[in-house]
């Protein structure tokens, strides 16, 4: 926007338009470089003729010829500097134009062009000084005011930028670029209607202004006015039909309309003009995914990643495959999945299904899993468990190792196999067998898996005593600083946290293979770091309510949720309003009217997953994350530091006492928390009192319909008298698994929380739980004067099914319809009702 436009005044100061003077003009006939006997004025005009024709070497030669005769000629210095700026040599441009201004200090155009070069180098404060000097010398210098506005916009000073653009238009009302720039600033300020008017005015001033059509189309698209947006994109294409990015934008609008065939045609057209567009391949892949053409979708994501490894391609690849089960092995897919799990490209738990399907295509592994399950509950000896399979073929499967290192195993068959592998490791350690290095790496991955699921695998009484004996032997060796077999360390780590051993920190000073170092970091370094954070976290309120004390105790013993890695977020938003417009384009929402520097409360943040996701989406938001449990908060703080996030403040507090902190918030998030209070509605009202006018809530509650199996399991637990200790959780799980044919409990094994100790305690053994139905929530929304905006975290397949069932509810906000839909599809909200509301 700061570049010289074809219709702008020429920077040479001639008074002509740039396109008629120094701008490129191919119609001008070539001219030879003049002999030195011509006057300086004639030479300058001939140089300008070359310059405007785009023959820069010839123009440069003459400018330098002038300077040989007259080294301080300000016009030649200035135009040579302009040329340097045009070809990206900005340091040289600054030197030349600066020298010209020494000899012609009142040259407004020179100050403006010096500002352009400084801007291109990122020296925005210096550029501001130059543009202001140009305006001081020439108050009606519209181009300089426009450039000043652009720099202020780049500095984030939107109000000042808006003033500059409005002043520009006072002097030059038909300046299309200034109208367009003003529209962009107004959009960022949330003044959408004014922004639309500015873009339309830019087009009225210049009917072929492609950028203005695109900006107007994008803004209309954000408002959900897709037909109007498409019309603008199509108008832009009449002026620039080979604009690949514009075909891509048009495809996005068609995709949002659900016109996938039209969208695909647009993306394919975009690729004809720009075959190396990673972004367009991602969009095309998503369109194919929405048509359930998953092979085509995966092929597009692969091509995108080959061109450029963008966050978008990684995130969308992971989203495409997360519900797939593969029937043919694919080495390239394996490689991508390993990276997707370890970097990660998505929540590792979301990649569990496709990973296991590929792992089980390894016939050695699949055979072992089947033998383990056929023999259960007996523990098979190693020679029978592995039969003719080479253990190396099992242990060398890098995808299998990556899965064990990053996510809890979430199916019973694989759990049983790993339970038996752990026993074979214990037997080897007890008999002082030294396995080969590759087997040690796999055993380390298994030990890390056991730590992730908090030792939820079952064991026999004899096995437990054997593990205790090995623990005692290793403890004695550590205490006496005696050497010990490496397998002892790994094996004990698969049954007990290593921090349960005396003097265990001494092993950190030794040199170990990478697999051992990763295990020690997980079980020693990171927990020790969390212990330090406990001291730093402040208390904002007292925690003395009876139920709050019980809930605090549970999460001190079993922090929830246990997670390993957070993916990069693709979408970062300039404001919460923009986020909601993107997420719910058809829902009328009153804007907060604030920029991205908003105040967000995460009430009941647990181990930090939710505030971290929010901080990544809104990097300039100020986030207060509170919880009852210091153990959970310490885990959250470690993960936050690990990710380099600095906009989250953690504190210990009780939701029921938050009014005493004297703070208010633009957004309050509390997912899966209020239903654990003694009085959920009282807690909800407490949070509502902290919410500013027009503020938003993101809440989550258990569904009565989706928790049928959990309710039955809780009854079973009460009848049998299980406690909530780790041993009782292990025993109860095995009893419930053994009753797999009992229809009351069939749903339990589909919950990922069933496969970890802390998660299972939260799922089945919680000290306090309330459940709701949609009619109940609808009444509460009305009572609390809250507007329902929409559900979050629902799969696209579910949304399409709802749209087919209730086509007259395009915004998807009719709670009566959703109630009917849930009754017909009881597992719709198995991950809770999660929704947005506005005060």
């Amino acid at each position: 926007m700061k570049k010289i436009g074809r219709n702008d005044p020429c920077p040479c100061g001639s008074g002509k338009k740039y396109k008629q003077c120094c701008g490129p003009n191919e119609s001008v006939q070539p001219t030879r470089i003049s002999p030195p006997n011509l006057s300086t004025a004639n030479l300058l005009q001939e140089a300008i003729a070359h310059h405007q024709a785009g023959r820069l070497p010839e123009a440069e030669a003459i400018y330098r010829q002038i300077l040989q005769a007259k080294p301080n000629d300000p016009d030649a210095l200035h135009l040579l500097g302009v040329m340097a700026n045009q070809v990206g040599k900005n340091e040289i441009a600054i030197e030349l134009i600066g020298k010209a201004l020494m000899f012609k200090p009142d040259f407004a155009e020179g100050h403006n062009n010096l500002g352009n070069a400084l801007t291109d180098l990122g020296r925005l404060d210096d550029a501001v000084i130059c543009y202001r000097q140009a305006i001081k010398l020439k108050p009606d210098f519209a181009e300089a005011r426009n450039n000043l506005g652009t720099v202020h916009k780049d500095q984030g000073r939107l109000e000042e930028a808006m003033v500059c653009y409005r002043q520009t238009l006072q002097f030059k009302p038909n300046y299309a670029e200034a109208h367009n720039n003003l529209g962009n600033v107004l959009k960022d300020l949330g003044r959408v209607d004014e922004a639309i008017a500015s873009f339309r005015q830019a087009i009225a001033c210049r009917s072929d202004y492609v950028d203005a059509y695109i900006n107007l189309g994008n803004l209309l698209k954000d408002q959900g006015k897709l037909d109007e947006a498409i019309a603008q994109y199509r108008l832009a294409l009449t002026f620039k039909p080979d604009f690949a990015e514009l075909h891509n934008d048009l495809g996005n609008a068609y995709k949002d309309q659900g016109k996938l065939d039209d969208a695909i045609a647009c993306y394919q057209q975009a690729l004809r003009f720009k075959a190396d567009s990673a972004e367009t391949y991602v969009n095309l892949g998503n369109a194919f995914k929405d048509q359930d053409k998953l092979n085509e979708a995966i092929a597009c994501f692969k091509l995108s990643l080959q061109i450029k490894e963008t966050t978008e391609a990684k995130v969308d690849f992971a989203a495409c495959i997360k519900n797939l089960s593969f029937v043919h092995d694919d080495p390239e897919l394996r490689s991508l999945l390993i990276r997707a799990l370890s970097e990660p490209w998505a929540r590792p738990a979301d990649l569990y299904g496709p990973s296991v399907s590929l792992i089980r295509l390894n016939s050695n592994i699949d055979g072992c899993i089947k033998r383990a399950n056929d023999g259960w509950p007996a523990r098979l000896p190693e020679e029978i468990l592995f039969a003719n399979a080479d253990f190396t073929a099992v242990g060398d499967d890098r995808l299998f190792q990556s899965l064990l290192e990053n996510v809890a195993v979430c199916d019973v068959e694989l759990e049983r196999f790993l339970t038996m592998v752990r026993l074979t490791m214990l037997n080897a350690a007890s008999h002082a067998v030294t396995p080969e290095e590759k087997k040690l790496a796999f055993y380390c991955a298994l030990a890390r898996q056991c730590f992730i699921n908090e030792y939820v695998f079952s064991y026999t009484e004899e096995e437990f005593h054997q593990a205790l004996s090995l623990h005692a032997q290793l403890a004695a060796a550590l205490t006496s600083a005696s050497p010990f077999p490496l397998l002892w360390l790994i094996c004990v780590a698969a049954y007990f946290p290593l921090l349960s051993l005396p003097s265990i920190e001494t092993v950190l000073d030794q040199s170990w293979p990478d697999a051992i170092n990763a295990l020690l970091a997980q079980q020693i370094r990171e927990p020790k770091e969390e212990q330090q954070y406990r001291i730093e976290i402040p208390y904002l309120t007292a925690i003395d309510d009876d139920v709050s004390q019980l809930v605090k105790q549970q999460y001190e013993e079993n922090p929830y949720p246990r997670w390993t890695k957070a993916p990069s977020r693709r979408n970062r938003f300039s404001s919460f309003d923009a986020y909601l417009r993107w997420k719910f384009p058809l829902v009328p929402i009153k804007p907060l009217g604030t920029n991205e520097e908003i105040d967000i409360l995460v009430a009941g943040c647990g181990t930090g997953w939710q505030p971290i996701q929010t901080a990544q989406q809104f990097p300039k938001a100020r986030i207060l994350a509170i919880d009852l449990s210091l153990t959970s908060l310490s885990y959250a703080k470690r993960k936050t530091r690990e990710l380099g996030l600095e906009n989250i403040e953690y504190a210990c507090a009780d939701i029921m006492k938050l009014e005493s902190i004297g703070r208010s918030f633009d957004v309050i998030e509390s997912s899966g928390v209020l239903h654990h209070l003694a009085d959920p509605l009282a807690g909800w009202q407490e949070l509502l009192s902290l919410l500013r006018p027009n503020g938003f809530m993101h809440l989550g509650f258990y569904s009565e319909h989706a928790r049928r199996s959990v309710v039955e399991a809780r009854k079973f637990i009460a009848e049998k008298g299980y406690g909530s200790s780790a041993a009782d959780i292990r025993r109860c799980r095995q009893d419930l698994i053994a009753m797999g044919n009992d229809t009351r409990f069939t749903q339990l094994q589909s919950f990922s929380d069933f496969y970890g100790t802390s998660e299972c305690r939260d799922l089945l053994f919680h000290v306090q739980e309330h459940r709701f139905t949609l009619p109940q929530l609808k009444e509460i929304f009305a009572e609390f004067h809250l507007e329902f905006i929409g559900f979050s975290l629902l799969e696209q397949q579910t949304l399409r099914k709802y749209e087919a069932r209730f086509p007259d509810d395009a915004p998807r906000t009719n709670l009566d319809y959703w109630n009917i839909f849930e009754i017909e599809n009881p597992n719709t909200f198995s991950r809770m009702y999660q929704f947005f509301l506005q005060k």
Side-chain angles (χ1 to χ4, degrees):
M1 291 182 286
K2 57 184 173 291
K3 294 297 186 183
I4 306 165
R6 285 169 51 79
N7 292 309
D8 292 344
C10 186
C12 72
S14 66
K16 298 180 181 178
K17 291 184 178 180
Y18 180 56
K19 67 181 180 181
Q20 297 168 339
C21 188
C22 297
N25 185 345
E26 298 301 331
S27 64
V28 176
Q29 296 300 311
T31 58
R32 59 185 177 83
I33 299 176
S34 295
N37 59 353
L38 288 178
S39 70
T40 298
N42 290 337
L43 283 172
L44 186 64
Q45 288 304 312
E46 192 162 356
I48 290 172
H50 284 298
H51 199 154
Q52 77 179 60
R55 296 188 295 273
L56 300 188
E58 290 89 339
E60 181 180 358
I62 299 177
Y63 290 143
R64 294 195 181 281
Q65 182 180 341
I66 294 170
L67 291 171
Q68 283 179 354
K70 192 177 179 183
N72 298 331
D73 188 281
D75 295 322
L77 287 168
H78 171 243
L79 289 171
L80 196 57
V82 169
M83 183 184 295
N85 177 231
Q86 287 173 315
V87 298
K89 297 179 180 179
N90 293 303
E91 295 283 5
I92 295 173
I94 290 168
E95 180 184 352
L96 289 167
I97 300 173
K99 190 174 180 181
L101 289 170
M102 290 172 58
F103 301 106
K104 194 175 181 180
D106 58 349
F107 187 20
E109 287 77 5
H111 289 286
N112 179 65
N113 288 330
L114 180 58
N116 290 342
L118 289 164
T119 299
D120 287 344
L121 275 178
R123 293 169 56 180
L124 301 186
D125 291 338
D126 293 335
V128 167
I129 294 170
C130 291
Y131 293 137
R132 285 179 174 162
Q133 182 64 21
I135 294 166
K136 181 179 179 182
L137 292 168
K138 189 176 177 182
D140 63 347
F141 197 168
E143 289 73 19
R145 291 184 183 275
N146 180 65
N147 290 340
L148 179 59
T150 298
V151 171
H152 282 326
K153 181 178 184 296
D154 291 344
Q155 291 175 317
R157 295 154 65 177
L158 299 182
E159 295 285 350
E160 292 176 65
M162 179 182 66
V163 170
C164 287
Y165 293 138
R166 291 198 187 282
Q167 290 175 343
T168 299
L169 292 167
Q170 287 176 2
F171 292 105
K172 192 173 180 181
N174 293 324
Y175 192 177
E177 286 80 0
H179 284 293
N180 183 63
N181 294 343
L182 177 60
N184 285 325
V185 167
L186 290 167
K187 178 193 71 176
D188 290 345
L189 287 168
R191 297 163 67 167
V192 176
D193 291 339
E194 293 176 72
I196 288 174
S198 290
F199 292 137
R200 293 193 189 282
Q201 188 61 40
I203 292 166
C205 293
R206 207 174 99 196
S207 61
D208 64 346
Y209 197 173
V210 171
D211 284 352
Y213 284 114
I214 294 171
N215 290 334
L216 178 56
N218 290 341
L219 196 49
L220 292 167
K221 178 175 173 288
D222 289 344
Q223 287 190 310
K225 298 176 180 178
L226 297 175
D227 286 332
E228 294 179 56
I230 287 168
Q232 298 304 319
Y233 295 143
R234 288 202 166 281
L235 282 168
L237 283 169
T238 63
F239 298 105
K240 199 167 184 179
D242 60 347
F243 192 176
E245 288 80 1
L246 187 48
H247 286 286
N248 181 72
D249 290 344
L250 181 58
N252 290 340
Y254 278 130
K255 183 175 179 293
D256 288 349
Q257 277 190 326
K259 297 178 179 178
L260 297 178
D261 289 335
D262 291 331
I264 288 169
C266 288
Y267 296 139
Q268 290 172 334
Q269 184 74 348
L271 291 167
R272 290 188 187 100
F273 293 118
K274 190 176 180 181
D276 62 346
S277 173
E279 178 189 357
T280 303
Y281 273 114
V282 168
N283 292 336
L284 181 58
N286 280 320
F288 280 133
K289 184 185 75 172
D290 288 349
Q291 286 187 328
D292 293 323
K293 297 178 179 177
L294 299 182
N295 289 330
E296 291 90 338
I298 291 171
C300 288
F301 294 132
K302 285 182 179 178
L303 285 167
S304 176
L305 289 165
Q306 289 170 9
I307 295 167
K308 184 179 180 182
E309 290 198 353
T310 63
T311 299
E312 288 76 8
K314 293 174 181 179
V315 169
D316 289 334
F317 166 80
C320 181
I321 68 167
K322 70 178 184 179
N323 295 319
L324 293 184
S325 180
F326 298 105
V327 294
H328 299 292
D329 208 349
D330 181 334
E332 187 180 2
L333 268 178
R334 277 178 167 270
S335 177
L336 291 173
L337 262 173
I338 290 167
R339 294 185 57 199
L341 282 166
S342 58
E343 292 185 13
W345 298 356
R347 205 170 62 112
D350 289 340
L351 301 172
Y352 180 80
S355 298
V356 169
S357 72
L358 279 176
I359 289 166
R360 294 198 67 163
L361 290 174
N362 180 331
S363 59
N364 290 292
I365 295 175
D366 193 54
C368 292
I369 293 172
K370 288 176 179 176
R371 282 188 291 277
N373 281 272
D374 290 342
W376 192 267
R379 302 313 199 249
L380 302 181
E382 182 173 358
E383 61 272 16
I384 296 178
L385 177 62
F386 290 98
N388 296 323
D390 180 1
F391 182 91
T392 304
V394 176
D396 271 358
D397 191 305
R398 188 64 193 91
L399 179 57
F400 196 8
Q401 282 193 36
S402 187
L403 184 80
L404 297 180
E405 291 164 355
N406 290 292
V407 61
V409 164
C410 291
D411 69 79
V412 169
E413 287 192 346
L414 188 50
E415 177 181 319
R416 286 172 172 170
F417 168 59
L418 292 172
T419 299
M420 293 189 192
V421 175
R422 183 175 66 168
L423 179 55
T424 66
M425 175 170 59
L426 177 60
N427 288 332
S430 300
H431 293 90
V433 175
T434 304
E436 61 271 22
E437 187 175 335
K438 287 184 178 179
K439 188 175 283 190
L440 281 176
F442 183 78
Y443 284 157
C444 283
L446 176 56
R448 289 172 67 182
Q449 170 65 204
C450 293
F451 187 84
I452 289 169
N453 66 42
E454 293 176 289
Y455 307 98
V456 80
F457 292 169
S458 68
Y459 44 68
T460 65
E461 187 174 348
E462 178 186 354
E463 179 184 355
F464 184 60
H465 286 301
Q466 189 178 348
L468 278 176
S469 174
L470 187 65
H471 184 279
Q473 289 178 268
L474 181 56
L478 288 165
T479 302
S480 62
S482 301
F484 55 85
L486 187 54
L487 189 55
W488 284 13
L489 185 70
I490 302 169
C491 191
V492 168
Y495 284 91
F496 312 97
L498 287 179
L499 274 182
S500 64
L501 290 159
S503 306
I504 188 61
E505 292 92 339
T506 59
V507 303
L508 297 176
D509 300 327
Q510 302 176 45
S511 178
W512 302 104
D514 289 345
I516 299 290
N517 283 329
L519 176 63
L520 298 180
Q522 178 202 50
Q523 295 207 17
I524 302 175
R525 286 193 175 90
E526 292 173 357
K528 292 288 286 183
E529 185 181 342
E530 290 167 30
Q531 290 174 5
Q532 291 299 314
Y533 289 141
R534 290 180 69 92
I535 303 168
E536 300 178 8
I537 296 170
Y539 275 83
L540 292 186
T541 74
I543 302 171
D544 47 25
D545 174 79
D546 289 344
V547 172
S548 295
Q549 286 278 15
L550 288 172
V551 174
K552 174 183 171 67
Q553 180 182 347
Q554 173 176 331
Y555 290 124
E556 287 294 333
E557 296 169 0
N558 295 105
Y560 177 89
R562 284 289 190 181
W563 55 280
T564 56
K565 294 178 178 178
S568 299
R569 295 304 294 256
R570 171 180 53 181
N571 297 314
R572 295 189 177 189
F573 297 91
S574 60
S575 67
F576 203 80
D577 296 335
Y579 167 69
L580 289 180
R581 284 197 302 271
W582 167 77
K583 194 167 186 65
F584 305 104
L586 302 182
V587 180
I589 296 169
K590 289 172 286 187
L592 274 174
T594 58
N595 59 19
E596 60 218 61
E597 296 179 3
I598 58 174
D599 294 295
I600 300 176
L601 170 67
V602 181
C605 67
T607 52
W609 177 264
Q610 189 173 352
I612 283 171
Q613 297 297 292
T614 301
Q616 289 177 327
Q617 281 188 309
F618 307 103
K620 292 189 178 180
R622 296 175 292 268
I623 300 170
L624 171 63
I626 61 112
D627 201 83
L628 297 169
S629 163
L630 271 178
T631 303
S632 299
L633 288 165
S634 300
Y635 188 92
K637 190 158 187 174
R638 177 176 68 79
K639 299 301 284 186
T640 301
R641 294 276 178 90
E642 182 182 297
L643 292 164
L645 298 172
E646 298 180 350
N647 58 331
I648 307 176
E649 169 194 358
Y650 288 104
C652 210
D654 188 340
I655 286 175
M656 296 305 300
K657 298 178 183 293
L658 280 178
E659 191 175 10
S660 65
I661 69 174
R663 293 169 67 173
S664 61
F665 302 89
D666 300 292
V667 179
I668 295 178
E669 300 181 354
S670 188
S671 183
V673 177
L674 295 176
H675 53 219
H676 291 313
L677 300 183
D679 185 347
L681 298 192
W684 194 341
Q685 287 178 311
E686 183 80 6
L687 293 179
L688 194 55
S689 71
L690 307 181
L691 190 63
R692 294 169 183 162
N694 292 340
F696 297 97
M697 281 188 150
H698 182 213
L699 304 179
F701 291 93
Y702 286 145
S703 160
E704 189 71 64
H705 296 289
R707 301 276 288 184
R708 299 179 316 281
S709 287
V710 172
V711 171
E712 292 299 323
R714 287 173 69 89
K715 291 177 184 176
F716 174 78
I717 289 165
E719 290 167 2
K720 298 294 183 180
Y722 296 103
S724 58
S725 67
D728 274 0
I729 290 171
R730 275 191 293 270
R731 185 166 57 90
C732 177
R733 283 184 75 253
Q734 294 305 315
D735 290 344
L736 288 167
I737 291 169
M739 299 170 65
N741 293 328
D742 190 323
T743 55
R744 293 176 298 166
F745 309 127
T746 50
Q747 188 189 11
L748 291 179
Q749 293 182 31
S750 68
F751 287 105
S752 60
D753 282 357
F754 188 66
Y755 297 91
T757 301
S758 287
E759 284 78 2
C760 191
R761 184 172 180 183
D762 188 83
L763 177 70
L764 303 179
F765 294 82
H766 206 288
V767 296
Q768 179 73 266
E769 175 178 314
H770 299 270
R771 295 171 299 279
F772 293 83
T773 64
L774 288 175
Q776 288 174 325
L777 290 173
K778 182 181 178 182
E779 288 185 14
I780 297 167
F781 299 165
E783 180 184 346
F784 289 177
H785 305 289
L786 292 164
E787 294 289 334
F788 177 69
I789 294 173
F791 291 110
S792 60
L793 300 182
L794 287 177
E795 297 282 352
Q796 283 297 320
Q797 186 177 1
T798 300
L799 295 175
R800 288 199 297 270
K801 190 174 180 180
Y802 176 84
E803 289 168 355
R805 179 71 174 83
F806 299 106
D808 58 326
D809 182 24
R812 302 193 290 256
T813 54
N814 188 317
L815 289 171
D816 295 327
Y817 285 174
W818 275 110
N819 183 50
I820 296 169
F821 186 84
E822 185 184 18
I823 291 169
E824 295 171 350
N825 305 274
N827 295 327
T828 299
F829 297 100
S830 60
R831 294 172 66 181
M832 296 187 289
Y833 300 121
Q834 297 201 50
F835 48 82
F836 285 92
L837 304 164
Q838 184 165 33
K839 187 174 181 178

